Amino acid sequence: MVSEVCNICPRNCNVDRSAKVGFCGMSSEIKVAKAYLHEWEEPCISGSRGSGTVFFTGCNLRCVFCQNYKISQGNFGVSVSPEKLADIFMNLEKAGAHNINLVSPTIYVPKIKESIIKARNNGLSIPIVYNSNAYENVESLKTLEGLIDIYLPDLKYYSDESALKYSKASHYFEYATKAILEMYRQVGNPVFDNDGIMKKGIIIRHLILPGKLDETKKILKWIKDNLSNEVYISLMGQYTPYYNANKYQELNKRISNREYEEAIEYFFEIGLENGFVQDDESASESFIPDFDLEGIL
């Protein structure tokens, strides 16, 4: 059950979400917008059959460039019970999903935990992926130990200035890096099956922002200095100025090919080994899901 007051994430709103909402704008009920087989995650996550992806409504960040703004800040979705969410997990496994991929789950951790346990007790056998913005409280993540097989955090910013300006997230890097260290403690180095599908481990995503290559390099250096070389990094060049990014001149453009190439060169220069890169087509709107309540109703 959700505690009387909510301090799940670093916002520490200290509000009773059964009576009022906190920064995330969500009540204590789980709210979801789509559940389907997603084919466009990293190859070891989507595989040949797709990742059983559940998109949760609401978010504890306010990213001005969010491509999923319809659900993260527009709050589109419907409420479901923990029992219903467990059924959704089971249906995705029956449809052939390689895993259950929880997108933006942070604000619902207590009830998602309940759903995972129910689904496991009903025979769910595929890995659980925790796909988050990394703005997490370590204490909340510890409650998930043993339930999450793969962590997929997005390490967004190095500087507090950028985090505050573009996502209204104070001390983002401090919280996110502590969270990632906890994630790694729980799941360790990657484990793959014979088909190259990840069964356990962590993939750290980083979306390169235009003009912020210095932050990208500092983030990569932190990963190199603090985690095993076996950890995978997804270095994303897909940035496109969605939502309110056009209000920020420095963000109202794509990253240049040179910026992306330099980031990749730095990745190898400092001795990182495992990662994923993207081609130009990844910036297409065709890769953004249509939030239509598929798999929910």
Side-chain angles (χ1 to χ4, degrees):
M1 298 295 290
V2 173
S3 59
E4 183 177 346
V5 294
C6 183
N7 292 302
I8 293 172
C9 83
R11 300 289 177 186
N12 293 316
C13 294
N14 207 41
V15 300
D16 179 355
R17 282 169 55 193
S18 66
K20 61 183 292 189
V21 300
F23 182 92
C24 65
M26 293 291 103
S27 73
S28 59
E29 294 186 345
I30 306 167
K31 198 171 182 181
V32 291
K34 190 180 184 78
Y36 79 127
L37 298 180
H38 189 8
E39 299 178 353
W40 305 113
E41 300 284 43
E42 287 75 7
C44 62
I45 300 294
S46 284
S48 60
R49 302 193 303 270
S51 176
T53 306
V54 182
F55 287 90
F56 292 91
T57 302
C59 187
N60 64 341
L61 295 187
R62 289 291 179 267
C63 300
V64 299
F65 49 82
C66 182
Q67 67 178 28
N68 294 343
Y69 63 89
K70 182 178 179 181
I71 62 171
S72 67
Q73 296 173 54
N75 295 345
F76 174 80
V78 294
S79 296
V80 299
S81 66
E83 292 78 12
K84 172 65 175 176
L85 184 59
D87 288 342
I88 290 170
F89 295 165
M90 300 300 296
N91 290 338
L92 288 167
E93 181 174 36
K94 289 175 186 175
H98 289 290
N99 45 60
I100 300 300
N101 186 353
L102 310 172
V103 179
S104 300
T106 306
I107 61 177
Y108 302 111
V109 160
K111 287 193 173 179
I112 287 175
K113 177 181 177 180
E114 187 179 337
S115 297
I116 293 172
I117 292 171
K118 288 180 183 295
R120 290 291 191 213
N121 288 340
N122 288 332
L124 185 78
S125 61
I126 55 179
I128 303 290
V129 181
Y130 189 91
N131 184 340
S132 89
N133 58 38
Y135 199 47
E136 308 271 359
N137 272 340
V138 167
E139 293 76 13
S140 295
L141 291 173
K142 285 181 176 179
T143 69
L144 295 170
E145 185 164 6
L147 295 175
I148 303 300
D149 303 284
I150 299 165
Y151 279 104
L152 193 56
D154 185 359
L155 186 48
K156 293 178 177 290
Y157 308 106
Y158 183 86
S159 77
D160 212 38
E161 178 184 2
S162 294
L164 281 167
K165 185 175 183 180
Y166 304 131
S167 294
K168 292 185 170 62
S170 178
H171 304 291
Y172 173 85
F173 186 75
E174 176 186 349
Y175 280 107
T177 51
K178 287 179 180 177
I180 287 170
L181 290 172
E182 170 62 20
M183 294 173 183
Y184 179 69
R185 185 194 68 79
Q186 289 185 23
V187 298
N189 289 328
V191 177
F192 300 90
D193 68 14
N194 292 334
D195 296 319
I197 303 300
M198 184 174 275
K199 309 302 287 185
K200 192 171 185 180
I202 181 170
I203 301 174
I204 302 171
R205 287 174 166 171
H206 173 64
L207 177 66
I208 304 168
L209 298 177
K212 300 294 181 182
L213 188 57
D214 59 330
E215 292 204 34
T216 292
K217 290 181 177 181
K218 289 174 181 177
I219 284 169
L220 292 176
K221 188 64 165 61
W222 180 87
I223 295 171
K224 170 64 179 175
D225 291 345
N226 291 275
L227 295 167
S228 163
N229 257 20
E230 293 188 45
V231 166
Y232 275 71
I233 301 164
S234 186
L235 199 54
M236 301 186 293
Q238 70 187 39
Y239 175 80
T240 303
Y242 292 110
Y243 192 39
N244 288 324
N246 61 356
K247 297 178 181 178
Y248 299 79
Q249 183 178 356
E250 69 275 21
L251 292 185
N252 195 25
K253 58 185 176 182
R254 296 275 308 280
I255 69 167
S256 68
N257 289 336
R258 181 61 216 155
E259 283 176 303
Y260 196 37
E261 290 168 3
E262 190 172 335
I264 295 170
E265 288 172 4
Y266 185 77
F267 176 97
F268 289 111
E269 180 184 315
I270 62 174
L272 291 169
E273 298 175 359
N274 296 326
F276 301 97
V277 296
Q278 296 178 320
D279 55 36
D280 290 342
E281 295 179 356
S282 299
S284 169
E285 289 193 20
S286 64
F287 292 97
I288 301 175
D290 180 14
F291 297 113
D292 54 4
L293 305 181
E294 177 185 356
I296 308 300
L297 300 178

